[in-house]
Amino acid sequence: MAARGHGRYRAVIFAAMFAGYTLYYFNRKTFSFVMPAVMAEVPLGKDELGLITSSQSAAYAISKFVSGVLSDRASARWLFSSGLLMVGLVNVVFSWSSTVTAFAGLWFLNGLAQGLGWPPCGKVLRKWFEPSQFGTWWSVLSTSMNLAGGLGPIVAALASQNYDWRVILSCSGFICVVVSFVCLVLIKNEPSDVGLPNIDQGAKKGKKGSSSDNSTLTELLLSPYLWVLSTGYLVVFGVKTCCTDWGQLFLIQERGQSMLVGSSYMSALEIGGLVGSIAAGYLSDRAVARVGLSSYGNPRHMLLLSMMAGMCVSMFLFRVTVTSESPKLWILTLGAVFGFSSYGPIALFGVIANESAPANLCGTSHAIVALMANVGGFLAGLPFSTIAKKYSWATAFWVAEITCTGSTVAFFLLRNIRTKMGRIPRKAD
């Protein structure tokens, strides 16, 4: 009977978080979605655009790290719902603004509110799902970003044909406000909140010594693998952000494509990313089931490296082969392939950071790796647009391409280092 009760609540809670985080992500990218329309009304150069997007990325990086700590001490449902409420209100006020200073300041506040979204989701998932199910549902929930990113540009492009960009932002913000109260009602922190037994989060059978697998923060920080993961995630997330934030401007301004093609490219990228996230989780789980986890190397590495190589190849083809005469199908195919190849590693970096860390510091491990990823997102803003202003969008994408290739080669060379982070047991030695 308890199992049926858990199942019913799991479905409702997961649906609420999925809908809520879809809106989180949509309203994180609304400025990118309506950027051409905003530029047609408000004179914005590449420096100003970079300032606005980087202000959000910087705030999000800080907020997400702090939120990870807060989620262990405060109610996850309140954090998630209040963040969504703040995102909605900021979007509404943004639609009333017309200056670069106001845009950058409000988008900074949007970034602060955005950081309250994912950490509470992770906490609620861990409380409501078995350890053996956690990774799967983590990946499925992360596809809410792809759904929002895939449908968002199309919805924004179609809406912009009949409505002003200010109306679009106001409506999306108002929907966030309404759904935030729905999430507050439907999401429950843990089963005991509704009279059900809590899920046993004990160690799995066969995890020898896991019960005493406690390390200090210093021991975690001194683990080389933590910084290998962090650097790889920084590059992958930064390069992905370059394409999602600036890809359509590259197509429109330097390749002579229409606004619809630019929006369609972004949608194809996100749809490919949705498939890539799920495929990465499923295929890497099969690899782990086949050979198991060890202290050196990780069976998820080969899939991770293959997808990173796919990012490099698809970026090269995007930069070199696309012209004003390129078939739309080819552009969309490149977008889908890049999305598949970039969102897969993003999912895998989070999973690996959790499973490779000591049990008492897995949240801290993920917070550090995610913080570095958001540094990459920040670098994809103003620094990237500055390169584009001084040279061209093609040159800026070439820099991202070379950086991604170098990171892939370095990760390949380091793939078999010690992956067990934290204290090294003498028995293992």
Side-chain angles (χ1 to χ4, degrees), residues 257-295:
Q257 296 291 335
S258 67
M259 188 183 300
L260 181 60
V261 171
S263 297
S264 299
Y265 167 80
M266 291 179 66
S267 295
L269 190 155
E270 296 292 346
I271 293 170
L274 186 150
V275 178
S277 295
I278 297 175
Y282 175 73
L283 294 176
S284 67
D285 276 347
R286 292 191 63 181
V288 170
R290 188 165 57 251
V291 301
L293 295 172
S294 64
S295 296

Short mmCIF file of all heavy atoms in Angstrom, two decimals, residues 257-295:
data_model
loop_
_atom_site.label_atom_id
_atom_site.label_comp_id
_atom_site.label_asym_id
_atom_site.label_seq_id
_atom_site.Cartn_x
_atom_site.Cartn_y
_atom_site.Cartn_z
N GLN A 257 21.22 34.05 -43.15
CA GLN A 257 20.02 33.24 -42.96
C GLN A 257 18.91 34.08 -42.33
O GLN A 257 19.15 35.13 -41.73
CB GLN A 257 20.34 32.03 -42.07
CG GLN A 257 21.33 31.06 -42.68
CD GLN A 257 20.77 30.31 -43.88
OE1 GLN A 257 19.56 30.14 -44.01
NE2 GLN A 257 21.66 29.87 -44.77
N SER A 258 17.69 33.61 -42.45
CA SER A 258 16.54 34.33 -41.90
C SER A 258 16.42 34.12 -40.40
O SER A 258 17.04 33.22 -39.82
CB SER A 258 15.25 33.86 -42.58
OG SER A 258 14.97 32.51 -42.21
N MET A 259 15.60 34.96 -39.76
CA MET A 259 15.36 34.84 -38.33
C MET A 259 14.70 33.50 -38.01
O MET A 259 14.99 32.88 -36.98
CB MET A 259 14.47 35.99 -37.84
CG MET A 259 14.31 36.07 -36.33
SD MET A 259 13.19 37.39 -35.80
CE MET A 259 14.03 38.82 -36.49
N LEU A 260 13.83 33.03 -38.91
CA LEU A 260 13.16 31.75 -38.69
C LEU A 260 14.16 30.59 -38.71
O LEU A 260 14.08 29.67 -37.91
CB LEU A 260 12.09 31.53 -39.75
CG LEU A 260 11.29 30.21 -39.63
CD1 LEU A 260 10.56 30.17 -38.28
CD2 LEU A 260 10.29 30.09 -40.78
N VAL A 261 15.14 30.65 -39.63
CA VAL A 261 16.16 29.61 -39.68
C VAL A 261 17.01 29.63 -38.41
O VAL A 261 17.34 28.58 -37.84
CB VAL A 261 17.06 29.79 -40.93
CG1 VAL A 261 18.27 28.84 -40.86
CG2 VAL A 261 16.28 29.53 -42.20
N GLY A 262 17.33 30.84 -37.94
CA GLY A 262 18.09 30.95 -36.70
C GLY A 262 17.36 30.36 -35.52
O GLY A 262 17.93 29.62 -34.71
N SER A 263 16.07 30.66 -35.42
CA SER A 263 15.26 30.10 -34.33
C SER A 263 15.10 28.59 -34.48
O SER A 263 15.14 27.85 -33.49
CB SER A 263 13.87 30.76 -34.32
OG SER A 263 13.98 32.14 -34.06
N SER A 264 14.94 28.13 -35.71
CA SER A 264 14.79 26.70 -35.95
C SER A 264 16.07 25.94 -35.59
O SER A 264 16.03 24.82 -35.08
CB SER A 264 14.43 26.45 -37.42
OG SER A 264 13.22 27.06 -37.76
N TYR A 265 17.22 26.57 -35.85
CA TYR A 265 18.51 25.96 -35.48
C TYR A 265 18.58 25.74 -33.98
O TYR A 265 18.98 24.67 -33.51
CB TYR A 265 19.66 26.84 -35.94
CG TYR A 265 21.00 26.45 -35.33
CD1 TYR A 265 21.74 25.40 -35.85
CD2 TYR A 265 21.51 27.14 -34.23
CE1 TYR A 265 22.95 25.02 -35.28
CE2 TYR A 265 22.72 26.79 -33.67
CZ TYR A 265 23.44 25.74 -34.19
OH TYR A 265 24.63 25.37 -33.62
N MET A 266 18.17 26.75 -33.21
CA MET A 266 18.20 26.63 -31.75
C MET A 266 17.24 25.54 -31.28
O MET A 266 17.54 24.79 -30.35
CB MET A 266 17.84 27.97 -31.11
CG MET A 266 18.90 29.05 -31.30
SD MET A 266 18.44 30.61 -30.54
CE MET A 266 18.45 30.18 -28.81
N SER A 267 16.08 25.46 -31.92
CA SER A 267 15.12 24.42 -31.55
C SER A 267 15.67 23.03 -31.85
O SER A 267 15.53 22.10 -31.04
CB SER A 267 13.80 24.63 -32.29
OG SER A 267 13.19 25.84 -31.90
N ALA A 268 16.29 22.87 -33.01
CA ALA A 268 16.88 21.58 -33.38
C ALA A 268 17.98 21.20 -32.39
O ALA A 268 18.12 20.03 -32.01
CB ALA A 268 17.45 21.65 -34.80
N LEU A 269 18.76 22.19 -31.96
CA LEU A 269 19.83 21.94 -30.99
C LEU A 269 19.25 21.40 -29.69
O LEU A 269 19.76 20.42 -29.12
CB LEU A 269 20.59 23.25 -30.75
CG LEU A 269 21.90 23.20 -29.95
CD1 LEU A 269 22.78 24.39 -30.33
CD2 LEU A 269 21.64 23.23 -28.45
N GLU A 270 18.19 22.02 -29.21
CA GLU A 270 17.60 21.59 -27.94
C GLU A 270 16.91 20.23 -28.06
O GLU A 270 16.95 19.43 -27.11
CB GLU A 270 16.61 22.65 -27.44
CG GLU A 270 17.24 23.99 -27.11
CD GLU A 270 18.16 23.94 -25.89
OE1 GLU A 270 18.13 22.95 -25.15
OE2 GLU A 270 18.93 24.91 -25.70
N ILE A 271 16.28 19.98 -29.20
CA ILE A 271 15.63 18.67 -29.38
C ILE A 271 16.68 17.57 -29.44
O ILE A 271 16.54 16.50 -28.84
CB ILE A 271 14.77 18.68 -30.66
CG1 ILE A 271 13.58 19.63 -30.48
CG2 ILE A 271 14.28 17.27 -30.99
CD1 ILE A 271 12.81 19.90 -31.75
N GLY A 272 17.79 17.85 -30.15
CA GLY A 272 18.90 16.89 -30.15
C GLY A 272 19.46 16.70 -28.76
O GLY A 272 19.84 15.59 -28.37
N GLY A 273 19.50 17.79 -27.98
CA GLY A 273 19.98 17.70 -26.61
C GLY A 273 19.10 16.84 -25.73
O GLY A 273 19.60 16.12 -24.85
N LEU A 274 17.79 16.91 -25.95
CA LEU A 274 16.86 16.07 -25.17
C LEU A 274 17.18 14.60 -25.39
O LEU A 274 17.28 13.82 -24.45
CB LEU A 274 15.43 16.40 -25.58
CG LEU A 274 14.30 15.74 -24.80
CD1 LEU A 274 13.08 16.65 -24.79
CD2 LEU A 274 13.91 14.38 -25.39
N VAL A 275 17.35 14.22 -26.66
CA VAL A 275 17.68 12.82 -26.98
C VAL A 275 19.05 12.46 -26.43
O VAL A 275 19.25 11.37 -25.87
CB VAL A 275 17.64 12.60 -28.51
CG1 VAL A 275 18.02 11.17 -28.85
CG2 VAL A 275 16.25 12.92 -29.06
N GLY A 276 20.01 13.40 -26.53
CA GLY A 276 21.35 13.13 -26.05
C GLY A 276 21.41 12.92 -24.55
O GLY A 276 22.16 12.05 -24.08
N SER A 277 20.66 13.69 -23.79
CA SER A 277 20.65 13.54 -22.33
C SER A 277 20.16 12.17 -21.92
O SER A 277 20.77 11.48 -21.08
CB SER A 277 19.76 14.62 -21.70
OG SER A 277 20.28 15.91 -21.92
N ILE A 278 19.04 11.75 -22.51
CA ILE A 278 18.47 10.45 -22.16
C ILE A 278 19.39 9.32 -22.62
O ILE A 278 19.64 8.36 -21.88
CB ILE A 278 17.07 10.29 -22.77
CG1 ILE A 278 16.12 11.34 -22.18
CG2 ILE A 278 16.53 8.89 -22.53
CD1 ILE A 278 14.75 11.35 -22.80
N ALA A 279 19.93 9.44 -23.83
CA ALA A 279 20.82 8.41 -24.36
C ALA A 279 22.08 8.29 -23.51
O ALA A 279 22.56 7.17 -23.24
CB ALA A 279 21.20 8.73 -25.80
N ALA A 280 22.63 9.42 -23.07
CA ALA A 280 23.84 9.39 -22.26
C ALA A 280 23.59 8.66 -20.94
O ALA A 280 24.41 7.83 -20.51
CB ALA A 280 24.33 10.81 -21.99
N GLY A 281 22.47 8.97 -20.29
CA GLY A 281 22.16 8.29 -19.04
C GLY A 281 21.95 6.80 -19.22
O GLY A 281 22.49 5.99 -18.47
N TYR A 282 21.17 6.44 -20.24
CA TYR A 282 20.85 5.03 -20.46
C TYR A 282 22.07 4.22 -20.87
O TYR A 282 22.37 3.16 -20.30
CB TYR A 282 19.76 4.92 -21.53
CG TYR A 282 19.42 3.50 -21.92
CD1 TYR A 282 18.70 2.68 -21.06
CD2 TYR A 282 19.85 2.98 -23.13
CE1 TYR A 282 18.40 1.37 -21.41
CE2 TYR A 282 19.56 1.67 -23.49
CZ TYR A 282 18.83 0.88 -22.62
OH TYR A 282 18.55 -0.42 -22.98
N LEU A 283 22.82 4.72 -21.85
CA LEU A 283 23.96 3.96 -22.36
C LEU A 283 25.09 3.88 -21.34
O LEU A 283 25.73 2.83 -21.21
CB LEU A 283 24.47 4.60 -23.66
CG LEU A 283 23.51 4.54 -24.86
CD1 LEU A 283 24.09 5.30 -26.04
CD2 LEU A 283 23.21 3.09 -25.25
N SER A 284 25.33 4.96 -20.61
CA SER A 284 26.40 4.91 -19.61
C SER A 284 26.01 4.03 -18.43
O SER A 284 26.87 3.38 -17.83
CB SER A 284 26.76 6.32 -19.14
OG SER A 284 25.69 6.91 -18.41
N ASP A 285 24.72 3.98 -18.10
CA ASP A 285 24.26 3.06 -17.04
C ASP A 285 24.49 1.61 -17.46
O ASP A 285 24.85 0.76 -16.63
CB ASP A 285 22.78 3.28 -16.74
CG ASP A 285 22.56 4.43 -15.77
OD1 ASP A 285 23.54 4.88 -15.15
OD2 ASP A 285 21.41 4.89 -15.63
N ARG A 286 24.28 1.31 -18.72
CA ARG A 286 24.54 -0.05 -19.21
C ARG A 286 26.02 -0.38 -19.12
O ARG A 286 26.40 -1.51 -18.79
CB ARG A 286 24.05 -0.20 -20.64
CG ARG A 286 22.53 -0.14 -20.80
CD ARG A 286 22.09 -0.57 -22.18
NE ARG A 286 22.44 -1.96 -22.47
CZ ARG A 286 22.19 -2.57 -23.62
NH1 ARG A 286 21.58 -1.91 -24.60
NH2 ARG A 286 22.54 -3.81 -23.81
N ALA A 287 26.87 0.61 -19.41
CA ALA A 287 28.31 0.38 -19.32
C ALA A 287 28.72 0.11 -17.88
O ALA A 287 29.54 -0.77 -17.60
CB ALA A 287 29.07 1.59 -19.87
N VAL A 288 28.14 0.85 -16.95
CA VAL A 288 28.44 0.65 -15.53
C VAL A 288 27.95 -0.72 -15.08
O VAL A 288 28.64 -1.44 -14.33
CB VAL A 288 27.80 1.76 -14.68
CG1 VAL A 288 27.90 1.43 -13.19
CG2 VAL A 288 28.47 3.10 -14.96
N ALA A 289 26.76 -1.11 -15.53
CA ALA A 289 26.22 -2.42 -15.14
C ALA A 289 27.08 -3.55 -15.70
O ALA A 289 27.19 -4.62 -15.07
CB ALA A 289 24.78 -2.55 -15.65
N ARG A 290 27.69 -3.31 -16.84
CA ARG A 290 28.48 -4.36 -17.48
C ARG A 290 29.84 -4.56 -16.80
O ARG A 290 30.27 -5.69 -16.58
CB ARG A 290 28.68 -4.01 -18.96
CG ARG A 290 29.33 -5.12 -19.78
CD ARG A 290 29.17 -4.87 -21.26
NE ARG A 290 29.71 -3.58 -21.68
CZ ARG A 290 28.99 -2.55 -22.08
NH1 ARG A 290 27.67 -2.64 -22.13
NH2 ARG A 290 29.54 -1.41 -22.44
N VAL A 291 30.54 -3.48 -16.43
CA VAL A 291 31.90 -3.62 -15.88
C VAL A 291 32.03 -3.11 -14.46
O VAL A 291 33.02 -3.39 -13.79
CB VAL A 291 32.93 -2.90 -16.78
CG1 VAL A 291 32.90 -3.45 -18.18
CG2 VAL A 291 32.67 -1.39 -16.80
N GLY A 292 31.03 -2.37 -13.97
CA GLY A 292 31.10 -1.86 -12.61
C GLY A 292 32.01 -0.66 -12.48
O GLY A 292 32.72 -0.27 -13.41
N LEU A 293 31.96 -0.02 -11.29
CA LEU A 293 32.79 1.14 -11.01
C LEU A 293 34.04 0.71 -10.27
O LEU A 293 34.01 -0.23 -9.47
CB LEU A 293 32.01 2.16 -10.15
CG LEU A 293 30.80 2.81 -10.81
CD1 LEU A 293 30.03 3.64 -9.78
CD2 LEU A 293 31.22 3.69 -11.98
N SER A 294 35.14 1.39 -10.53
CA SER A 294 36.39 1.09 -9.83
C SER A 294 37.03 2.40 -9.41
O SER A 294 36.53 3.49 -9.70
CB SER A 294 37.34 0.30 -10.74
OG SER A 294 37.71 1.09 -11.87
N SER A 295 38.16 2.31 -8.72
CA SER A 295 38.84 3.51 -8.23
C SER A 295 39.59 4.23 -9.34
O SER A 295 39.95 5.40 -9.18
CB SER A 295 39.81 3.14 -7.11
OG SER A 295 39.10 2.63 -5.99
#
